[in-house]
């Protein structure tokens, strides 16, 4: 096989607001599997099986990145370029000594049928038995956890040399690190999670319950609210769309105030949370989906309250949690196995459906971790 | 002497914006020094010598305090009530076993000629020799440090029983604790201080220089800017009123970005600082004078930048720095004695001038710590 047909998603233009179908197109190319340059560049060609769909990707589709931002996950994707995303796939050709045809891999792939990856640094090899089992289960969230266990020895070496964690099980470590490292919860504290039925929020709420906290989540539909309360063990949950005044809503759910706010949305909800935070309250800024699509929605925070209540507001990225990765894996594995922690996925099928899956995130149409299945194997 | 004439300042109405002369009046009363109730309430009557004028006091003059705020320094002062303020004075009558007529004291007094203080918990006794020397020098900033040294044993007991530090040398410990505890500076880091010629900013900039940081301050007049650069050792300083675009100004003074922003003003300057912060930058929210007089000036922060740059924004109050008080005193004393640290005061005279001195703070008319001298002894 010297070449394959590869369909992949590109953005047609820079995106400066809520993304639309018209912002994307599906390209088709003949992908050469045998190029001289592949040898010197240690290229690995991967057939994609699953790709991840995450809100943060919108930040790479804007006309420009924020100033002084050095995180690699913030560099701008140009129109016509393949769009990077976390994923799981199988090697079809490799000029890299660590990978061979047939290997299952996870890492930073592309929104497409195939990914051409140079240097191999953004790939981790998966144990074949585990990978096949996982793919049969079609359970990508558990896969993210298991893959990390399997690839752990490899990762340790990788972390040591690069001091960087790429896209491996990012929702899990984001939730774990953001909650435990940034929020520093204590038993009995009151925790509020926004976008609580999203990939990260679902895990944060469950980690908080496992830590003995009182947890309230908000989401945008009755179905999601029911899921949080009935299946995921949240103490309470509400539909923010039915609340004309978020400040009053939070007063109702937290009459004594909030200790920890895990923010996935920003904007008015962040403002209301600051109003309702207790003294020494903490806010982990994980995502601000309401602000990703327009700076006019930026939160106007009550800084007088921030001072008098000694509030700490902190942004973070999962790449900073390398040190607690072993702890994350062992704790999370244990809770998944005993059923104390539940993983929820939202799966679409086929490259053609990637743009819709992505756009849906900004309309709250997903429940749990959004992934697109590209191929069976 | 059974009674004295006491002039004191009251607010005539709640204040909901920039304070004006018309918001205040000077009351005069006949103050009874011998009341039966004084005995049971452990009253101490103090003749005020110096009183402190601080921006945060505006927050107690508003119609209502922020929700969930428990700090005692945030409770609302009612129209007609005497207004609490840090100060130094001399006891004229005492029904409290720890204080006797003639004692020099510091603590929470009132904006007036006399203060009637119940229970004595908000007072500390000063050593007479030191107090007289200090008053001769008319140097209240140094006084604040010395008084704290003198009263230290007393304070230790006080802290142990109340877990609270009242108004003792508050500018000093605010600057010290805010900079070292909240900002956690490292040698060589780039530090930006707003309201840098104010009582706290002056000290923060000097502490930063003593820590081997690069320091730029901003202020509102050429005179202040010159003071920062020429007398206080700031690496650079600028007049924010001459900068049409604060974002560009900060880019010019910090081409590689800011590590630490010590915020005394909030609003647009805070927005611009977030834009110019480096990864892992820290912002200590000490005061937001631009927001004290109107919520419409609240900063709209770039939370996407906060996430990608892992910025930490933290509010604090000096009452939380009890643990580092001994360290603050010894370090600061040493630097004051060797001349490495300079204290700057801005003194007005007489009760009648208290409202103007206070209003001036909101127009940037003070340089250094603002105090009003009420009497010589």
């Amino acid at each position: 096989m010297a070449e394959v047909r590869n369909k992949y998603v590109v953005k047609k233009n820079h995106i400066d607001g809520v993304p639309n179908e018209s912002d994307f197109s599906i390209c088709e190319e003949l992908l050469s599997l045998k190029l001289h340059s592949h040898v010197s560049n240690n290229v690995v060609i991967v057939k994609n099986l699953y790709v991840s769909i995450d809100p943060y990707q919108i930040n790479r589709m804007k006309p420009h990145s924020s100033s002084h931002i050095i995180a690699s996950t913030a560099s701008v994707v140009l129109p016509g370029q393949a769009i990077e995303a976390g994923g799981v796939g199988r090697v079809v050709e490799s000029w890299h000594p660590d990978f061979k045809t047939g290997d299952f891999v996870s890492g930073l792939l592309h929104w497409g049928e195939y990914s051409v990856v140079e240097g191999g640094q953004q790939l981790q090899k998966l144990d074949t038995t585990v990978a096949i089992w996982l793919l049969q289960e079609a359970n990508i969230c558990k896969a993210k956890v298991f893959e990390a266990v399997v690839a752990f020895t490899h990762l340790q070496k990788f972390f040591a040399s690069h001091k960087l964690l790429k896209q491996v099980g990012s929702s899990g470590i984001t939730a774990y690190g953001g909650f435990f490292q940034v929020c520093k919860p204590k038993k009995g504290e009151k925790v509020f999670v926004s976008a609580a039925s999203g990939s990260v929020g679902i895990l944060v709420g469950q980690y908080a319950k496992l830590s003995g906290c009182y947890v309230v989540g908000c989401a945008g539909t009755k179905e999601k609210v029911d899921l949080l309360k009935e299946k995921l063990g949240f103490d309470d949950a509400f539909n923010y769309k039915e609340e004309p005044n978020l400040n009053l809503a939070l007063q109702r759910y937290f009459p004594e105030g909030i200790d920890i706010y895990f923010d996935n949305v920003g904007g008015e909800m962040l403002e209301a949370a600051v109003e309702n935070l207790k003294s020494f309250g903490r806010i982990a800024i994980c995502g601000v989906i309401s602000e990703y699509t327009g700076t006019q929605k930026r939160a106007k925070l009550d800084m007088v309250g921030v001072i008098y209540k000694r509030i700490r507001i902190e942004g973070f990225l999962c790449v900073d949690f390398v040190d607690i990765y072993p702890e994350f894996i062992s704790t999370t594995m244990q809770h998944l196995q005993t059923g104390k922690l539940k993983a929820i996925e939202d799966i679409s099928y086929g490259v053609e459906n990637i743009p819709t899956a992505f756009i849906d995130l900004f309309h709250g149409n997903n429940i749990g971790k959004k992934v697109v299945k590209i191929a069976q194997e």
Side-chain angles (χ1 to χ4, degrees), chain A residues 111-342:
Chain A
W111 277 357
E113 292 177 311
Y114 291 87
S115 304
V116 179
V117 180
E118 290 187 7
Q121 290 174 0
Q122 61 199 50
L123 290 183
Q124 291 85 38
K125 199 149 73 171
L126 295 184
D127 177 274
T128 309
T129 324
V130 173
I132 288 173
W133 179 84
L134 289 170
L135 295 170
Q136 283 171 346
E137 296 282 308
N139 190 325
I140 199 76
C141 265
K142 280 189 194 162
K144 287 256 166 202
V145 174
F146 279 93
E147 109 206 8
V149 176
V150 174
F152 191 63
T153 318
H154 180 88
L155 282 175
Q156 290 273 14
K157 276 190 278 173
F158 175 75
F159 293 157
S161 56
H162 296 88
K163 302 206 171 193
L164 193 66
L165 167 65
K166 301 261 183 183
Q167 293 295 119
V168 185
S170 66
S171 298
I173 186 66
T174 299
Y176 190 89
F179 185 62
F180 290 105
Q181 196 97 329
V182 178
C183 300
K184 300 196 195 311
K186 290 191 276 289
K187 195 176 168 182
E189 285 195 317
K190 309 266 190 280
V191 176
F192 174 51
V193 187
S194 57
S197 69
S199 62
V200 175
I202 274 177
L203 292 172
V204 169
Q206 293 182 91
Y207 284 133
K209 281 311 298 171
L210 289 167
S211 307
C213 295
Y214 178 87
V215 187
V216 178
C218 74
T221 68
K222 183 178 184 307
E223 184 192 2
K224 292 175 181 180
V225 168
D226 291 345
L227 174 82
L228 297 174
K229 288 199 286 192
E230 288 158 24
K231 189 164 175 192
L232 297 175
F234 281 58
D235 293 289
D236 216 331
F238 64 94
N239 182 346
Y240 71 90
K241 290 182 180 167
E242 291 175 355
E243 298 291 345
N245 184 321
L246 296 176
N247 196 355
L248 293 180
L250 290 181
Q251 277 177 34
R252 213 165 63 235
Y253 286 96
F254 297 94
E256 292 159 18
I258 299 167
D259 292 294
I260 291 172
Y261 172 45
F262 196 98
D263 187 18
N264 290 305
V265 302
E268 285 176 28
M269 191 63 88
L270 178 54
E271 291 173 9
V274 167
E275 295 293 328
N276 285 278
L277 231 64
K278 290 161 77 169
S279 284
F280 302 102
R282 291 134 272 160
I283 300 180
I285 309 286
C286 174
V288 287
I289 196 165
S290 75
E291 298 175 35
Y292 288 169
T293 53
T295 57
Q296 75 284 3
K297 292 169 197 157
R298 282 181 181 175
K300 290 172 75 172
L301 301 184
D302 170 20
M303 284 295 165
V304 178
V306 168
I307 294 172
Y308 279 96
K309 297 193 284 188
R310 297 84 133 179
I311 291 174
R312 174 165 57 85
I313 301 169
E314 198 163 342
F316 66 94
L317 293 177
C318 63
V319 294
D320 301 324
F321 298 134
V322 168
D323 293 347
I324 56 166
Y325 212 83
E327 174 196 320
F328 154 65
I329 295 295
S330 64
T331 310
T332 305
M333 276 292 290
Q334 199 187 331
H335 290 317
L336 277 172
Q337 283 166 342
T338 59
K340 285 186 181 172
L341 196 66
K342 293 180 184 71

